Amino acid sequence: MMDEFGRFLDATPAITGEAKEAARTRLLQAIREPVPMPPMPSPRRRRPRLAWRLALAASVALAASAGIIAVRGGERPATTPVASVQDLGDKAARSAETDPYEITPSPGRWLYVKQTIAPLRKEPEPEVDRDRRMTLETWHSLDGKQLALDDGRGKLVTQEYGPGITGADLARAPVTPEEMIARIGASVDATPVTEFDDADATRQERIFRTISQLLGEQPLVADVRAALFRALPMIEGVSVRQDAIDAAGRHGVAFDYTGAWERFEIIVSAQDYRFLGTYGESVADRAFNLPGGATRTVKAGTPLVWSARMTAKVVDKPGDQP
């Protein structure tokens, strides 16, 4: 796996303006295209951006050398169900406002994020393995525009990466839930759908996904995190899932959004309502072409992503650990 990933990196040009389309073309050769299903338009699974594909490939390569980490959940802790999605948003926001995890934007510094994730069961199929876990370490620039990670061979690589809007953009006054929706919505509207995205995703779904990415991976000051949690109940279609479990086996409660093809969870602790992780699964059967002409069907209920954020700390440079 590491040799294969190394060949991928060696053959892929630097992500400059001229090389981006060439890199995308090479990447798409490794990602299956959907099988046409007339008379309805063929659905497409959301394509992660190139940097996330690099992160996933690197994590698989690292797991091959370091071994798989098995994680089992303990007993479910005693919790009090939240009354509504508005109640959950308010509780998560109050937790964010008092959380000791603080971010002070500083040029040149990075946010170190350590996650436990469920790896893909079999490349290039999208299903993740519920029974295995691995550790993924990434570094995110405090301007919210770059990602660094180990390439699986002990070398750090840095790529342009981000949700299209930064923590600094969201931190401009006024910092309110309404402004979070307006600014993220404007970013979504201004971002063309590419081959890496789900063309069938609604505007509400794209806003929900962007907030999930911001909370999980981006450096955010406390009032922005609080406003984002209060913004989630304002998105049409968001509901509460009372007993959600992250990839580390921690029980919590989730903001839940179901789109046309996938369902997503943003999971927070049921005790102190801090961000824990994410989960996503398919909600409808879909057929896809694989490289070489084979066809696979992704069944409804197939897990597609499962994560748990274990650590998030500011460090001086990529490669540093707290």
Side-chain angles (χ1 to χ4, degrees), residues 46 163 165 177-189 201-215 228 231-236 238 257 264 266:
R46 179 175 181 262
I165 189 167
E178 293 79 9
E179 277 296 314
M180 299 301 100
I181 294 291
R183 293 174 195 175
I184 294 170
S187 174
V188 163
D189 294 341
T202 64
R203 185 175 189 267
Q204 290 81 7
E205 182 175 336
R206 294 179 70 192
I207 291 174
F208 185 89
R209 290 184 182 185
T210 300
I211 292 178
S212 177
Q213 186 178 353
L214 285 163
L215 290 171
L228 288 173
L232 284 167
M234 299 170 60
I235 301 172
E236 183 179 358
V238 174
Y257 185 92
F264 305 94
I266 298 174

Side-chain angles (χ1 to χ4, degrees), residues 10-22:
D10 292 339
T12 302
I15 307 303
T16 62
E18 306 96 277
K20 186 172 294 184
E21 290 306 313

Side-chain angles (χ1 to χ4, degrees), residues 2 59-70 117 119 132-135:
M2 285 189 289
S59 66
V60 172
L62 287 169
S65 62
I68 299 297
I69 301 173
I117 66 171
R132 295 191 298 157
R133 302 289 184 274
M134 64 177 61
T135 296

